[in-house]
Amino acid sequence: HIYAMTEPTLPPIPTTEDAAEDMNVNNENSTKPHSEKSTKEIYKERALVWYKRSAEQGNVESIIRIGDYYYYGWGIPVNFAKSVERYRDAGDRAHPQALFNLGYMHENGLSIPKDFHLAKRYYDQAATHSDKAWVPVQIALVHLHIRMWYDEYALNGDLMVYGYKIEDILLTVLVGLLTLLFYLRMQAVAAPPPQ
């Protein structure tokens, strides 16, 4: 029957030297031999080959996806420096996702120097190039401003509120909230079921 459900079969492995190098068939960067890899891992490696070929032809979405592969370590070792290269390449073409990712990497100092002002610039550029990026960018900017404030005042020990360090106040508030949540949870568990 034509429509019978069967196990999916893997397409053949490309035999060109470039494809073999891209897929790490020689296992120089791989932790497992090809025969021990899961189907998902094999598909991710093969997808990377096709994303690289598409990126060579100028496809910006593929360039970003390759950056994601390096960032998350999908089928290859995590490499933030290569991820930044790919995001910069796509960011030069004004792609909002790449600009947002560069902002995030500058905010957190992932293989590039931590620079809050440059992170804000990238976030703003992402919002400028896409209306869909506006909400995530606003959330990221609020988070960025909180981190800037915290790094500038709280980490230096300069911030005092009513004679107490901000770390002590934040810890007290956190313990109070956790105590309140525990109390409310215990009340919900101890309440008799409705009849």
Side-chain angles (χ1 to χ4, degrees), residues 74-125:
W74 293 335
I76 53 176
V78 171
N79 188 334
F80 293 136
K82 286 187 178 182
S83 182
V84 167
E85 289 175 19
R86 295 300 182 154
Y87 292 149
R88 280 196 178 133
D89 186 19
D92 290 343
R93 301 171 194 209
H95 194 283
Q97 180 65 48
L99 295 168
F100 185 91
N101 291 352
L102 284 168
Y104 180 82
M105 293 184 88
H106 273 287
E107 179 182 349
N108 294 293
L110 300 174
S111 85
I112 48 181
K114 186 185 280 191
D115 187 342
F116 292 138
H117 299 289
L118 194 54
K120 182 183 182 317
R121 182 180 299 166
Y122 278 117
Y123 287 143
D124 289 339
Q125 286 179 0

Side-chain angles (χ1 to χ4, degrees), residues 13-88:
I13 297 173
T15 57
T16 65
E17 289 180 22
D18 291 338
E21 181 182 316
D22 286 343
M23 288 179 50
N24 296 321
V25 172
N26 299 330
N27 292 321
E28 60 194 37
N29 294 325
S30 183
T31 56
K32 299 188 243 182
H34 186 73
S35 61
E36 294 180 15
K37 292 181 182 177
S38 70
T39 303
K40 188 175 183 178
E41 290 172 324
I42 294 170
Y43 276 139
K44 286 191 180 218
E45 287 178 358
R46 291 185 185 171
L48 180 59
V49 171
W50 294 107
Y51 281 126
K52 284 183 176 183
R53 290 178 181 171
S54 177
E56 288 170 2
Q57 296 174 6
N59 186 315
V60 181
E61 296 292 333
S62 295
I63 295 170
I64 292 171
R65 183 55 98 180
I66 294 168
D68 291 344
Y69 268 72
Y70 284 119
Y71 183 86
Y72 294 109
W74 293 335
I76 53 176
V78 171
N79 188 334
F80 293 136
K82 286 187 178 182
S83 182
V84 167
E85 289 175 19
R86 295 300 182 154
Y87 292 149
R88 280 196 178 133

